[in-house]
Amino acid sequence: MTLDLIFFLILSLIAIATALGMLLSRNAIYSALFLVLNFATVAVFYLLLGAPFIAMAQITVYAGAIMVLFLFVIMLLGAESLPKSEVLPWQKPLASFLAVALAVEATFLFITRARPAGDILAPAETVNMVDSLREMGMILFNQYLLPFEVTSILLLVAMVGAIVLVRKEKRV
């Protein structure tokens, strides 16, 4: 076992543990913090793959901006802990069936498609990081400016909609 493989296995266990912690936590703030830890481990995966820009974008955009927005909305709405909800009698059997079907499908795909398709070739030339980042920024803000702005407006509308839906009417 190489050091990279050991590091990958440790990180994958951390990523799985934080994902399960996020899903199983009854407190919304703890769930959001588990999600931040998961984003950080994914960023380290990107670093291991040799993609430092994507790793920093992962930390800055997801763990930074979006999670601050989530925590702001959670704190503003006062929805720190989830209330006990009634479970319909058909929900647990359906969820169990779908989980088993997903596990069978994933196992089948892993067994049938896990063969390598060919050799991975090294890049022909070295890429200058500054030029590629400049080109990426120019493409983002020239060709994809409208989708970028629409996404930001959709996030703002979703946040305002969540506040309006949960807000309690004040009676004077």
Side-chain angles (χ1 to χ4, degrees), residues 60-142:
T60 305
V61 173
Y62 291 112
I66 292 179
M67 287 313 299
V68 167
L69 180 68
F70 283 175
L71 287 174
F72 173 73
V73 171
I74 289 169
M75 297 286 202
L76 184 67
L77 299 178
E80 287 88 15
S81 61
L82 298 174
K84 295 284 184 185
S85 62
E86 294 183 25
V87 177
L88 298 175
W90 53 269
Q91 281 180 331
K92 284 189 180 182
L94 178 65
S96 300
F97 171 74
L98 290 175
V100 169
L102 179 67
V104 168
E105 181 181 5
T107 305
F108 173 75
L109 288 175
F110 182 72
I111 290 171
T112 59
R113 309 223 178 196
R115 296 179 204 95
D119 292 335
I120 298 174
L121 301 175
E125 61 184 52
T126 60
V127 178
N128 188 357
M129 182 67 93
V130 175
D131 289 340
S132 64
L133 290 179
R134 185 175 291 120
E135 290 174 16
M136 189 184 313
M138 293 300 289
I139 289 172
L140 178 66
F141 290 114
N142 287 335

